[in-house]
Amino acid sequence: MPAHAFICPNRSQVPIEDCLKQCQQPMRCMFLPTLRSIAASLNRNLEGASVTELISGTRETYLKKMTNYTVDPQTVLYALHGSAVHTLHEQHTAGNMLSEIRLKDAVTSGKFDLYGQILDADEGVLGDLKVTSSYKIMKALGRYKVDVPTGQYYVSGKKKGQMKYSKEWRDDGVRGVGDWSIQLNYYRILLEQQGLAVNRMVIQALCRDSSLRMAAERGIDQAVYLIPIRRIRDEWILRYMQKKAENLKTALAERRLPSRCSSKERWHDRKCKDYCQVAEHCPYGKVLKITASEVKQERPPA
Ligand code: SF4
Ligand code: SF4
């Protein structure tokens, strides 16, 4: 039971098929092709579970497969950015490379973006395209700011006599690439199962907000970054994904709601409040959403 209805700007719900046939309001809230693309991006694979579905919280994936959920088209447009970038690349992959092939094993299936000679002479590069925020790129690069003493002192004011510091960027912090790393490593395993050697894994991250001041404040001054992904031991990845696949399979067979997504999977509640499409069907998400809307109502006008 995938997403079945769109939410119109006036909050009424309309079955997706009906919306695509004929808008139920005086005028469409966006172009018809845009709505068609959104509808296509929502088509869920109800049989088995893909690598990306297994990486998400088990409860979220379970609810997406078991409930008729509604989607506000305005809130899922970001998914089209990624699809658009994939489509652009698909048209230009002639040469010594493969792209967008779905591979399967006994646990799951996954469609890698690019594989082959995509960066240099190395024919075994697995590439993945991401369209993401400057915040996520900053974290993925392990970039952080430090105070560096300038050797100069304040000569007046409250700080008189104190050392002056300047901010400098460092790139040697902990790299926040957890889910990306699991995803690419699983695609690597799927390729290797087909006898294709993967020598390197690289993410090409396109920054959504690269021209904004916020991105510059995060030390992100390029539109595109290449982020290398390290190899994780096959045993660890396979054990992790097998466990998640088993948990989901059992929950679906028993029609039992899995325990709530982990704190990391639910982005420390941010996803439940604003981004989870099935939050309305999740007891935890529902409570968080009600509490968030009550806090908003109680807040005095600015
Ligand atoms: S086009 Fe927009 S306003 Fe019209 S029915 Fe669809 S979702 Fe509602
Ligand atoms: S609302 Fe939160 S806990 Fe519930 S399914 Fe969504 S992400 Fe998971």
Side-chain angles (χ1 to χ4, degrees):
M1 277 181 276
H4 77 122
F6 278 152
I7 302 173
C8 305
N10 66 4
R11 309 314 292 165
S12 61
Q13 295 183 7
V14 54
I16 293 174
E17 278 179 17
D18 293 357
C19 159
L20 297 182
K21 267 188 218 142
Q22 167 108 50
C23 174
Q24 316 292 305
Q25 308 297 332
M27 193 174 82
R28 287 197 177 277
C29 57
M30 55 186 81
F31 292 156
L32 180 57
T34 314
L35 288 156
R36 283 184 183 146
S37 307
I38 293 173
S41 76
L42 293 171
N43 272 345
R44 313 288 318 172
N45 160 28
L46 300 184
E47 299 299 323
S50 67
V51 170
T52 43
E53 284 176 322
L54 290 184
I55 289 171
S56 296
T58 307
R59 176 180 284 196
E60 183 187 345
T61 302
Y62 172 90
L63 287 172
K64 279 185 169 166
K65 288 180 182 290
M66 295 296 277
T67 59
N68 271 331
Y69 62 99
T70 54
V71 169
D72 180 347
Q74 298 281 345
T75 63
V76 292
L77 284 169
Y78 65 90
L80 295 190
H81 298 172
S83 313
V85 170
H86 284 99
T87 308
L88 282 176
H89 282 77
E90 255 169 38
Q91 296 160 1
H92 300 283
T93 51
N96 199 3
M97 62 185 78
L98 301 171
S99 81
E100 303 271 348
I101 296 173
R102 182 165 291 279
L103 299 172
K104 252 184 119 167
D105 67 4
V107 179
T108 181
S109 71
K111 192 154 72 165
F112 64 86
D113 289 342
L114 293 162
Y115 168 76
Q117 202 169 0
I118 56 173
L119 273 181
D120 47 28
D122 189 346
E123 294 177 356
V125 181
L126 169 60
D128 200 65
L129 301 160
K130 303 277 183 213
V131 181
T132 189
S133 65
S134 55
Y135 178 78
K136 182 103 195 205
I137 295 176
M138 177 185 76
K139 292 284 176 195
L141 294 170
R143 190 162 279 190
Y144 64 99
K145 256 182 191 173
V146 287
D147 287 326
V148 179
T150 60
Q152 295 175 333
Y153 293 85
Y154 290 94
V155 290
S156 60
K158 271 191 200 160
K159 291 188 181 172
K160 188 175 175 185
Q162 290 178 25
M163 174 75 80
K164 285 184 180 175
Y165 290 87
S166 65
K167 297 272 184 202
E168 275 184 20
W169 284 101
R170 299 279 189 268
D171 277 343
D172 56 354
V174 178
R175 298 187 331 126
V177 286
D179 286 356
W180 288 355
S181 188
I182 295 171
Q183 186 191 5
L184 255 77
N185 269 280
Y186 210 94
Y187 293 165
R188 171 185 63 73
I189 290 172
L190 289 171
L191 279 162
E192 288 173 350
Q193 284 169 353
Q194 301 300 314
L196 297 164
V198 177
N199 303 327
R200 285 142 74 200
M201 294 170 278
V202 181
I203 283 175
Q204 178 171 289
L206 183 71
C207 183
R208 266 199 300 257
D209 51 347
S210 65
S211 53
L212 300 183
R213 188 164 58 96
M214 185 59 87
E217 283 171 4
R218 290 172 176 152
I220 301 303
D221 51 10
Q222 296 174 198
V224 169
Y225 284 85
L226 293 175
I227 303 171
I229 297 294
R230 292 199 188 107
R231 189 173 268 259
I232 304 177
R233 277 195 306 124
D234 288 7
E235 303 80 57
W236 188 94
I237 292 277
L238 288 167
R239 206 179 322 124
Y240 177 78
M241 294 294 267
Q242 263 159 6
K243 181 85 188 113
K244 291 207 80 171
E246 271 163 29
N247 289 348
L248 179 66
K249 200 171 161 194
T250 309
L252 290 170
E254 296 174 358
R255 298 186 157 262
R256 180 183 41 77
L257 184 69
S259 44
R260 77 171 178 220
C261 309
S262 71
S263 182
K264 202 160 140 276
E265 287 164 346
R266 51 180 212 272
W267 311 344
H268 313 291
D269 290 347
R270 210 157 54 87
K271 187 171 195 178
C272 314
K273 283 180 196 156
D274 293 318
Y275 299 99
C276 178
Q277 291 171 349
V278 286
E280 302 291 346
H281 296 274
C282 166
Y284 186 76
K286 254 194 232 170
V287 171
L288 277 185
K289 273 182 162 301
I290 292 168
T291 318
S293 81
E294 281 173 359
V295 169
K296 233 184 237 172
Q297 280 168 14
E298 279 169 17
R299 209 173 277 153

